[in-house]
Coordinates of all heavy atoms in Angstrom, one line a residue:
M207 N 48.3 242.3 199.6 CA 47.3 242.9 198.8 C 46.7 244.1 199.6 O 46.2 244.0 200.6 CB 46.1 241.9 198.6 CG 44.9 242.4 197.8 SD 43.7 241.2 197.6 CE 42.5 242.1 196.7
L208 N 46.9 245.3 199.0 CA 46.4 246.5 199.6 C 44.9 246.7 199.4 O 44.2 247.3 200.2 CB 47.2 247.7 199.2 CG 48.7 247.7 199.5 CD1 49.4 248.9 198.9 CD2 49.0 247.5 201.0
G209 N 44.5 246.3 198.2 CA 43.1 246.4 197.8 C 43.0 245.8 196.4 O 44.0 245.3 195.9
P210 N 41.8 245.8 195.8 CA 41.7 245.3 194.5 C 42.6 245.9 193.5 O 42.8 247.1 193.5 CB 40.2 245.6 194.2 CG 39.5 245.7 195.5 CD 40.6 246.3 196.4
N211 N 43.4 245.1 192.8 CA 44.3 245.5 191.7 C 45.5 246.3 192.3 O 46.1 247.0 191.6 CB 43.6 246.3 190.7 CG 42.5 245.6 190.0 OD1 42.8 244.5 189.5 ND2 41.3 246.1 189.9
K212 N 45.8 246.2 193.6 CA 46.8 247.0 194.2 C 47.6 246.2 195.2 O 47.1 245.6 196.2 CB 46.2 248.2 194.9 CG 47.2 249.2 195.4 CD 46.5 250.4 195.9 CE 47.5 251.5 196.4 NZ 46.8 252.6 197.0
T213 N 48.9 246.1 195.0 CA 49.8 245.3 195.9 C 50.9 246.3 196.5 O 51.1 247.3 195.9 CB 50.5 244.2 195.2 OG1 51.3 244.7 194.1 CG2 49.5 243.1 194.7
G214 N 51.5 245.9 197.6 CA 52.5 246.7 198.2 C 52.9 246.1 199.5 O 52.5 245.0 199.8
F215 N 53.6 246.8 200.3 CA 54.1 246.4 201.6 C 53.4 247.2 202.8 O 53.3 248.4 202.6 CB 55.6 246.5 201.7 CG 56.3 245.5 200.8 CD1 56.7 245.9 199.5 CD2 56.6 244.3 201.2 CE1 57.3 245.0 198.7 CE2 57.2 243.4 200.4 CZ 57.6 243.8 199.1
I216 N 53.1 246.6 203.8 CA 52.6 247.2 205.0 C 53.1 246.6 206.2 O 53.6 245.5 206.1 CB 51.0 247.2 205.1 CG1 50.5 245.7 205.1 CG2 50.4 248.0 204.0 CD1 49.0 245.6 205.4
E217 N 53.1 247.3 207.3 CA 53.6 246.7 208.6 C 52.3 246.1 209.3 O 51.3 246.7 209.3 CB 54.2 247.8 209.5 CG 55.5 248.3 209.0 CD 56.6 247.3 209.1 OE1 56.6 246.4 210.0 OE2 57.5 247.3 208.2
K218 N 52.5 245.0 210.0 CA 51.4 244.4 210.8 C 52.0 243.9 212.1 O 53.2 243.7 212.2 CB 50.8 243.2 210.0 CG 50.0 243.5 208.8 CD 48.9 242.5 208.6 CE 47.9 242.9 207.6 NZ 46.7 242.2 207.7
E219 N 51.1 243.9 213.1 CA 51.5 243.4 214.4 C 52.0 241.9 214.3 O 51.4 241.2 213.5 CB 50.4 243.5 215.4 CG 50.0 244.9 215.7 CD 51.0 245.7 216.5 OE1 51.5 245.0 217.5 OE2 51.2 246.9 216.3
D220 N 52.9 241.5 215.1 CA 53.2 240.0 215.1 C 52.0 239.3 215.7 O 51.4 239.7 216.6 CB 54.4 239.8 216.1 CG 55.8 240.2 215.5 OD1 55.8 240.5 214.3 OD2 56.7 240.3 216.3
P221 N 51.7 238.2 215.0 CA 50.5 237.4 215.5 C 50.9 236.7 216.9 O 52.0 236.5 217.2 CB 50.3 236.4 214.4 CG 51.6 236.3 213.7 CD 52.3 237.6 213.9
K222 N 49.8 236.5 217.7 CA 49.9 235.8 218.9 C 50.0 234.3 218.6 O 49.2 233.8 217.7 CB 48.8 236.0 219.8 CG 48.6 237.5 220.2 CD 49.6 237.9 221.2 CE 49.3 239.3 221.7 NZ 50.5 240.2 221.6
V223 N 50.9 233.6 219.2 CA 51.1 232.2 218.9 C 50.2 231.4 219.8 O 50.2 231.5 221.1 CB 52.6 231.8 219.2 CG1 52.8 230.2 219.0 CG2 53.5 232.5 218.2
G224 N 49.3 230.6 219.2 CA 48.4 229.7 219.9 C 49.2 228.4 220.3 O 50.3 228.2 219.9
S225 N 48.6 227.5 221.1 CA 49.2 226.4 221.6 C 49.7 225.4 220.5 O 50.7 224.7 220.8 CB 48.3 225.6 222.6 OG 47.2 225.1 221.9
R226 N 49.1 225.4 219.4 CA 49.6 224.5 218.3 C 50.1 225.2 217.1 O 50.1 224.7 216.0 CB 48.3 223.7 217.9 CG 47.8 222.8 219.1 CD 46.6 222.0 218.7 NE 46.9 221.0 217.7 CZ 46.0 220.2 217.1 NH1 44.8 220.4 217.4 NH2 46.4 219.3 216.3
D227 N 50.5 226.5 217.3 CA 51.0 227.3 216.2 C 52.5 227.4 216.2 O 53.2 227.2 217.2 CB 50.4 228.8 216.4 CG 48.9 228.8 216.1 OD1 48.4 227.9 215.5 OD2 48.4 229.8 216.7
A228 N 53.0 227.9 215.1 CA 54.5 228.3 215.0 C 54.5 229.6 214.3 O 53.8 229.9 213.3 CB 55.2 227.3 214.1
L229 N 55.3 230.5 214.9 CA 55.5 231.8 214.2 C 56.8 231.7 213.5 O 57.8 231.4 214.0 CB 55.6 232.9 215.3 CG 55.9 234.3 214.9 CD1 54.7 234.8 213.9 CD2 56.0 235.3 216.0
V230 N 56.7 232.0 212.2 CA 57.9 231.9 211.2 C 58.2 233.2 210.6 O 57.3 233.9 210.1 CB 57.5 230.8 210.2 CG1 58.7 230.7 209.2 CG2 57.2 229.5 210.8
R231 N 59.5 233.6 210.7 CA 60.0 234.8 210.1 C 60.3 234.4 208.6 O 61.2 233.6 208.4 CB 61.2 235.4 210.8 CG 61.7 236.6 210.0 CD 62.8 237.4 210.9 NE 63.7 236.5 211.7 CZ 64.8 236.0 211.1 NH1 65.2 236.3 209.9 NH2 65.5 235.2 211.9
P232 N 59.6 235.0 207.6 CA 59.9 234.6 206.2 C 61.3 235.0 205.8 O 61.7 236.1 206.0 CB 58.8 235.2 205.4 CG 57.9 236.0 206.3 CD 58.5 235.9 207.7
L233 N 61.9 234.2 205.0 CA 63.2 234.5 204.3 C 62.9 234.7 202.9 O 63.6 235.6 202.3 CB 64.2 233.3 204.5 CG 64.6 233.1 205.9 CD1 65.5 231.8 206.0 CD2 65.4 234.3 206.5
A234 N 62.0 234.0 202.3 CA 61.6 234.2 200.9 C 60.1 233.8 200.8 O 59.7 232.8 201.3 CB 62.5 233.3 200.0
V235 N 59.4 234.6 200.0 CA 58.0 234.3 199.8 C 57.7 234.5 198.3 O 58.2 235.5 197.7 CB 57.1 235.3 200.6 CG1 55.6 235.0 200.2 CG2 57.4 235.2 202.0
A236 N 57.1 233.5 197.7 CA 56.8 233.6 196.2 C 55.3 233.8 196.0 O 54.5 233.2 196.7 CB 57.2 232.3 195.6
P237 N 55.0 234.7 195.1 CA 53.6 234.8 194.7 C 53.1 233.5 194.0 O 53.9 232.8 193.4 CB 53.5 236.0 193.8 CG 54.9 236.1 193.3 CD 55.8 235.6 194.3
C238 N 51.9 233.2 194.1 CA 51.3 232.0 193.4 C 50.2 232.5 192.5 O 49.7 233.6 192.6 CB 50.7 231.2 194.5 SG 49.8 229.8 194.0
T239 N 49.9 231.6 191.6 CA 48.8 232.0 190.6 C 47.5 232.4 191.4 O 46.8 233.2 191.0 CB 48.5 230.8 189.7 OG1 49.8 230.4 189.0 CG2 47.5 231.1 188.7
S240 N 47.3 231.7 192.5 CA 46.1 232.0 193.2 C 46.1 233.4 193.8 O 45.1 234.1 193.9 CB 45.8 231.0 194.4 OG 46.9 231.0 195.3
D241 N 47.3 233.9 194.1 CA 47.4 235.3 194.6 C 47.1 236.3 193.4 O 46.4 237.3 193.7 CB 48.9 235.6 195.0 CG 49.3 234.8 196.2 OD1 48.4 234.5 197.1 OD2 50.5 234.5 196.3
I242 N 47.5 235.9 192.2 CA 47.1 236.8 191.1 C 45.6 236.8 190.9 O 45.0 237.9 190.7 CB 47.8 236.2 189.8 CG1 49.3 236.1 189.9 CG2 47.4 237.0 188.6 CD1 50.0 237.4 190.3
H243 N 45.0 235.7 191.1 CA 43.5 235.7 190.9 C 42.8 236.5 192.0 O 41.8 237.2 191.8 CB 43.0 234.2 191.0 CG 43.4 233.4 189.8 ND1 43.1 233.8 188.5 CD2 44.1 232.2 189.7 CE1 43.6 232.9 187.7 NE2 44.2 231.9 188.4
T244 N 43.4 236.4 193.3 CA 42.9 237.1 194.4 C 43.0 238.7 194.2 O 42.0 239.4 194.4 CB 43.6 236.8 195.7 OG1 43.5 235.4 195.9 CG2 43.1 237.5 196.9
V245 N 44.1 239.1 193.8 CA 44.3 240.6 193.6 C 43.6 241.1 192.4 O 43.0 242.1 192.4 CB 45.8 240.9 193.6 CG1 46.0 242.4 193.3 CG2 46.5 240.5 194.9
F246 N 43.8 240.4 191.2 CA 43.4 241.1 189.9 C 42.1 240.5 189.3 O 41.6 241.0 188.4 CB 44.6 240.9 188.9 CG 45.8 241.6 189.4 CD1 46.9 240.9 189.9 CD2 45.9 243.0 189.3 CE1 48.0 241.6 190.3 CE2 47.0 243.7 189.8 CZ 48.1 243.0 190.3
E247 N 41.6 239.4 189.9 CA 40.4 238.8 189.4 C 39.3 238.6 190.4 O 38.3 237.9 190.2 CB 40.8 237.5 188.7 CG 41.7 237.7 187.5 CD 42.1 236.4 186.8 OE1 41.6 235.3 187.2 OE2 42.9 236.5 186.0
D248 N 39.5 239.2 191.6 CA 38.4 239.2 192.6 C 38.0 237.9 193.0 O 36.8 237.6 193.3 CB 37.2 240.0 192.1 CG 36.3 240.5 193.2 OD1 36.8 240.7 194.4 OD2 35.1 240.8 193.0
A249 N 39.0 236.9 193.1 CA 38.6 235.5 193.4 C 38.0 235.3 194.8 O 37.2 234.4 195.0 CB 39.9 234.6 193.2
L250 N 38.4 236.1 195.8 CA 37.9 235.9 197.1 C 36.9 237.1 197.6 O 36.6 237.2 198.7 CB 39.1 235.9 198.1 CG 40.1 234.8 198.0 CD1 41.2 235.0 199.0 CD2 39.4 233.5 198.0
G251 N 36.6 237.9 196.6 CA 35.9 239.1 196.9 C 36.8 240.2 197.3 O 38.0 240.0 197.5
P252 N 36.3 241.5 197.5 CA 37.2 242.6 197.8 C 37.9 242.4 199.2 O 37.2 242.0 200.1 CB 36.2 243.8 197.8 CG 34.8 243.2 197.9 CD 34.9 241.8 197.4
R253 N 39.2 242.6 199.1 CA 40.0 242.5 200.4 C 40.9 243.7 200.5 O 41.3 244.3 199.5 CB 40.8 241.2 200.3 CG 40.1 239.9 200.1 CD 39.2 239.6 201.4 NE 38.3 238.5 201.1 CZ 38.4 237.3 201.7 NH1 39.3 237.1 202.6 NH2 37.5 236.4 201.4
E254 N 41.2 244.0 201.7 CA 42.2 245.1 202.0 C 43.3 244.6 202.9 O 42.9 243.9 203.9 CB 41.5 246.3 202.5 CG 40.6 247.0 201.5 CD 40.1 248.3 202.0 OE1 40.1 248.5 203.2 OE2 39.4 249.0 201.2
N255 N 44.5 245.0 202.8 CA 45.6 244.7 203.7 C 45.7 243.3 204.0 O 45.9 242.9 205.2 CB 45.5 245.6 204.9 CG 45.5 247.1 204.6 OD1 46.2 247.5 203.6 ND2 44.8 247.9 205.4
M256 N 45.6 242.4 203.0 CA 45.7 241.0 203.2 C 47.1 240.5 202.8 O 47.7 240.9 201.8 CB 44.7 240.3 202.3 CG 44.6 238.8 202.6 SD 43.2 238.1 201.6 CE 44.1 237.3 200.3
I257 N 47.7 239.7 203.7 CA 49.0 239.1 203.4 C 48.9 238.0 202.4 O 48.1 237.1 202.5 CB 49.7 238.6 204.6 CG1 49.9 239.7 205.7 CG2 51.0 237.8 204.3 CD1 50.4 239.3 207.0
L258 N 49.7 238.1 201.3 CA 49.7 237.1 200.2 C 51.0 236.3 200.4 O 51.9 236.6 201.2 CB 49.7 237.8 198.9 CG 48.5 238.7 198.5 CD1 48.8 239.5 197.3 CD2 47.2 237.9 198.4
G259 N 51.0 235.2 199.6 CA 52.3 234.4 199.5 C 52.3 233.3 200.5 O 52.8 233.4 201.6
H260 N 51.6 232.2 200.1 CA 51.6 231.0 201.0 C 52.6 230.0 200.6 O 52.6 229.0 201.2 CB 50.2 230.4 200.9 CG 49.8 230.1 199.5 ND1 49.0 230.9 198.8 CD2 50.0 229.0 198.8 CE1 48.8 230.4 197.6 NE2 49.4 229.2 197.5
E261 N 53.5 230.4 199.7 CA 54.6 229.5 199.3 C 55.9 230.2 199.8 O 56.4 231.1 199.1 CB 54.5 229.2 197.8 CG 53.2 228.5 197.5 CD 53.0 228.3 196.0 OE1 53.9 228.6 195.2 OE2 51.9 227.8 195.6
A262 N 56.4 229.7 200.9 CA 57.5 230.5 201.5 C 58.4 229.5 202.3 O 58.1 228.4 202.5 CB 57.0 231.5 202.5
C263 N 59.6 230.0 202.6 CA 60.5 229.4 203.6 C 60.9 230.4 204.6 O 60.9 231.6 204.3 CB 61.7 228.7 202.9 SG 62.8 229.9 202.2
G264 N 61.2 230.0 205.8 CA 61.6 230.9 206.8 C 62.2 230.2 208.0 O 62.5 229.0 208.0
V265 N 62.4 231.0 209.1 CA 63.0 230.5 210.3 C 61.9 230.6 211.4 O 61.2 231.6 211.6 CB 64.2 231.4 210.7 CG1 64.7 231.0 212.1 CG2 65.3 231.4 209.6
I266 N 61.9 229.5 212.2 CA 60.9 229.4 213.3 C 61.4 230.4 214.4 O 62.5 230.4 214.8 CB 60.8 228.0 213.8 CG1 60.3 227.1 212.8 CG2 59.9 228.0 215.1 CD1 60.3 225.6 213.1
V267 N 60.4 231.2 214.8 CA 60.7 232.2 215.8 C 60.2 231.8 217.2 O 60.8 231.9 218.2 CB 60.1 233.6 215.5 CG1 60.3 234.6 216.6 CG2 60.8 234.1 214.2
E268 N 59.0 231.2 217.1 CA 58.4 230.8 218.4 C 57.4 229.7 218.1 O 56.8 229.6 217.0 CB 57.6 232.0 218.9 CG 56.9 231.8 220.3 CD 56.1 233.1 220.7 OE1 56.3 234.1 220.1 OE2 55.4 233.0 221.7
V269 N 57.2 228.8 219.0 CA 56.2 227.7 218.9 C 55.3 227.7 220.1 O 55.7 228.1 221.2 CB 56.8 226.3 218.6 CG1 57.5 226.3 217.3 CG2 57.6 225.9 219.7
G270 N 54.1 227.2 219.9 CA 53.2 227.1 221.0 C 53.5 225.9 221.9 O 54.3 225.0 221.5
E271 N 53.0 225.8 223.1 CA 53.3 224.8 224.1 C 53.1 223.4 223.7 O 53.7 222.5 224.2 CB 52.6 225.1 225.4 CG 51.1 225.1 225.3 CD 50.4 225.7 226.4 OE1 50.9 226.7 227.0 OE2 49.2 225.3 226.7
D272 N 52.1 223.2 222.8 CA 51.8 221.8 222.3 C 52.6 221.4 221.1 O 52.4 220.2 220.6 CB 50.3 221.7 222.0 CG 49.5 221.9 223.3 OD1 50.0 221.5 224.4 OD2 48.3 222.3 223.2
V273 N 53.4 222.2 220.6 CA 54.2 221.9 219.4 C 55.4 221.1 219.8 O 56.2 221.6 220.6 CB 54.6 223.1 218.6 CG1 55.5 222.7 217.4 CG2 53.4 223.9 218.1
K274 N 55.6 219.9 219.3 CA 56.7 219.0 219.7 C 57.6 218.7 218.5 O 58.7 218.2 218.7 CB 56.1 217.7 220.3 CG 55.1 217.9 221.4 CD 55.7 218.5 222.6 CE 54.7 218.6 223.7 NZ 54.9 219.8 224.5
D275 N 57.2 218.9 217.3 CA 57.9 218.5 216.1 C 59.0 219.5 215.6 O 59.9 219.1 214.9 CB 57.0 218.2 214.9 CG 56.1 217.0 215.3 OD1 56.4 216.2 216.1 OD2 55.0 216.9 214.6
C276 N 58.9 220.7 216.0 CA 59.9 221.7 215.6 C 60.0 222.7 216.7 O 59.1 222.9 217.5 CB 59.4 222.3 214.3 SG 57.8 223.1 214.3
Q277 N 61.2 223.4 216.7 CA 61.5 224.4 217.7 C 62.3 225.5 217.0 O 62.9 225.3 215.9 CB 62.4 223.8 218.8 CG 61.7 222.7 219.6 CD 60.6 223.3 220.5 OE1 60.8 224.4 221.1 NE2 59.4 222.7 220.6
P278 N 62.4 226.7 217.6 CA 63.3 227.7 217.1 C 64.7 227.2 217.1 O 65.1 226.4 218.0 CB 63.1 228.9 218.0 CG 61.8 228.6 218.7 CD 61.6 227.1 218.7
P279 N 65.6 227.6 216.2 CA 67.0 227.2 216.2 C 67.6 227.7 217.4 O 67.2 228.7 218.1 CB 67.6 227.9 214.9 CG 66.6 229.0 214.5 CD 65.3 228.6 215.1
L280 N 68.7 227.0 217.9 CA 69.4 227.4 219.1 C 70.1 228.8 218.8 O 70.6 229.0 217.7 CB 70.5 226.4 219.4 CG 70.0 225.0 219.8 CD1 71.1 224.0 220.0 CD2 69.1 225.1 221.0
T281 N 70.1 229.6 219.8 CA 70.7 230.9 219.7 C 72.2 230.8 220.0 O 72.6 230.1 221.0 CB 70.1 231.9 220.7 OG1 68.7 231.9 220.5 CG2 70.6 233.3 220.6
K282 N 73.0 231.4 219.2 CA 74.4 231.3 219.4 C 74.8 232.2 220.6 O 74.4 233.3 220.7 CB 75.1 231.9 218.1 CG 76.6 231.7 218.1 CD 77.2 232.1 216.8 CE 78.7 231.9 216.8 NZ 79.3 232.3 215.5
V283 N 75.6 231.6 221.5 CA 76.0 232.3 222.7 C 77.3 233.0 222.4 O 78.3 232.4 222.0 CB 76.1 231.3 223.9 CG1 76.6 232.1 225.1 CG2 74.8 230.7 224.1
S284 N 77.4 234.3 222.6 CA 78.7 235.0 222.3 C 79.8 234.5 223.3 O 79.5 234.1 224.4 CB 78.5 236.5 222.5 OG 78.2 236.8 223.9
G285 N 80.9 234.5 222.7 CA 82.1 234.0 223.5 C 82.4 232.5 223.4 O 83.4 232.0 223.9
L286 N 81.5 231.8 222.7 CA 81.8 230.3 222.5 C 82.4 230.1 221.1 O 82.1 230.8 220.2 CB 80.5 229.5 222.7 CG 79.9 229.5 224.1 CD1 78.7 228.7 224.1 CD2 80.9 228.9 225.1
Ligands
ZN549 ZN1 50.0 228.3 195.7

């Protein structure tokens, strides 16, 4: 969401991973009805440069030190 009634793409800094966080690179993100309300019906109040799309799938890039249930996929080693 770039602003009220306006959507598009912007670049953002990678977030810092906290001890209980996972950083996920999205592969597919779907808009939700709540996103429509946010952008076009002012459901959360005026916002700018807000990332939408909480319904997604992706690949884990990094996890925090306290995360034990998931890890980034193993990296393929060349020559094997
Ligand atoms: Zn939803």
Side-chain angles (χ1 to χ4, degrees):
M207 175 179 182
L208 301 176
N211 300 308
K212 190 173 180 184
T213 60
F215 293 92
I216 59 172
E217 292 289 330
K218 288 210 169 201
E219 295 288 322
D220 287 346
K222 301 286 185 232
V223 176
S225 66
R226 300 176 69 185
D227 294 337
L229 179 62
V230 177
R231 178 169 38 87
L233 295 174
V235 179
C238 173
T239 304
S240 62
D241 296 327
I242 303 301
H243 294 304
T244 298
V245 174
F246 298 105
E247 297 178 5
D248 201 24
L250 300 178
R253 303 291 170 116
E254 291 184 351
N255 299 330
M256 186 174 104
I257 296 174
L258 299 170
H260 54 268
E261 298 176 8
C263 67
V265 175
I266 297 170
V267 174
E268 182 181 353
V269 296
E271 61 197 31
D272 293 332
V273 175
K274 307 295 182 212
D275 295 339
C276 57
Q277 294 291 318
L280 295 175
T281 303
K282 187 174 183 180
V283 178
S284 64
L286 296 179

